[in-house]
Amino acid sequence: MVVQNPGRQSTPRVLAPHHIGIHVTSIDEALPFFVDVLGLEVAFRWSPRAPYLGTLLDDSEYEMEAVVLRIEGSTFAVELVHFGHVSAQAADARNAAAGTAHLALAVTDIEDMCRRVKEAGFELLSDPVVPTIGPIRGGKVVLALGPDGIRVELIQSPNWLHGSGPTP
């Protein structure tokens, strides 16, 4: 049984999405895909050094470079992070290996976005498909492979996923 304290919330909860961090082998090689192809805006770029980061990363000798990207009209951010002290191989995101993730973005013109992805030399796993079930039924969706094989789901939906808000 949870005891309620007046004026206090008894259970921690998630308030809102903040950002997604995507680890890349090179910030300079990843930026053109996210900025020139997808249209995200650079908020800031930095190479942070602080004791709290050494503690957070459990490595006081870390080497980190990051760029924070904004999605226009959104409070959600995409952070590209390169750790120079890490020599691990990239995970197999193309085949949805466990531990990998994908970034899903609502777009206004999926056909044009697909053209931009292909013209920039990146791969689409298929042509856009029309979902026949679920929250984006009747829209269009496609998976693109960005730098380092990062899976990016592009969605042109007739409905907003969460039941409220604008229709992209």
Side-chain angles (χ1 to χ4, degrees):
M1 180 170 147
V2 176
V3 177
Q4 297 285 339
N5 292 332
R8 291 185 79 178
Q9 187 174 2
S10 62
T11 305
R13 65 185 178 94
V14 172
L15 297 175
H18 190 275
H19 76 276
I20 184 170
I22 301 173
H23 302 152
V24 296
T25 56
S26 167
I27 297 286
D28 290 330
E29 291 177 18
L31 265 178
F33 176 76
F34 288 92
V35 174
D36 299 335
V37 177
L38 299 180
L40 280 63
E41 302 171 345
V42 175
F44 62 92
R45 185 173 181 166
W46 64 334
S47 297
R49 290 290 309 166
Y52 89 91
L53 286 169
T55 301
L56 178 69
L57 298 168
D58 193 28
D59 186 345
S60 62
E61 302 300 316
Y62 74 92
E63 297 173 29
M64 178 182 174
E65 180 182 8
V67 62
V68 175
L69 306 168
R70 283 184 234 181
I71 299 170
E72 186 179 344
S74 172
T75 59
F76 184 72
V78 175
E79 179 184 33
L80 303 179
V81 182
H82 171 70
F83 289 108
H85 66 289
V86 175
S87 60
Q89 269 193 330
D92 186 8
R94 183 190 206 299
N95 293 307
T100 63
H102 71 274
L103 174 63
L105 300 172
V107 299
T108 57
D109 185 339
I110 201 165
E111 302 298 337
D112 187 51
M113 190 63 73
C114 288
R115 180 190 55 75
R116 292 170 63 169
V117 167
K118 289 191 276 190
E119 285 179 358
F122 294 98
E123 183 182 357
L124 298 174
L125 293 184
S126 70
D127 289 328
V129 297
V130 177
T132 58
I133 61 172
I136 57 174
R137 181 180 67 216
K140 292 182 182 179
V141 63
V142 68
L143 284 169
L145 292 179
D148 295 312
I150 297 164
R151 289 168 70 113
V152 177
E153 183 178 8
L154 303 172
I155 302 167
Q156 184 176 325
S157 177
N159 305 303
W160 190 251
L161 178 62
H162 305 292
S164 63
T167 300

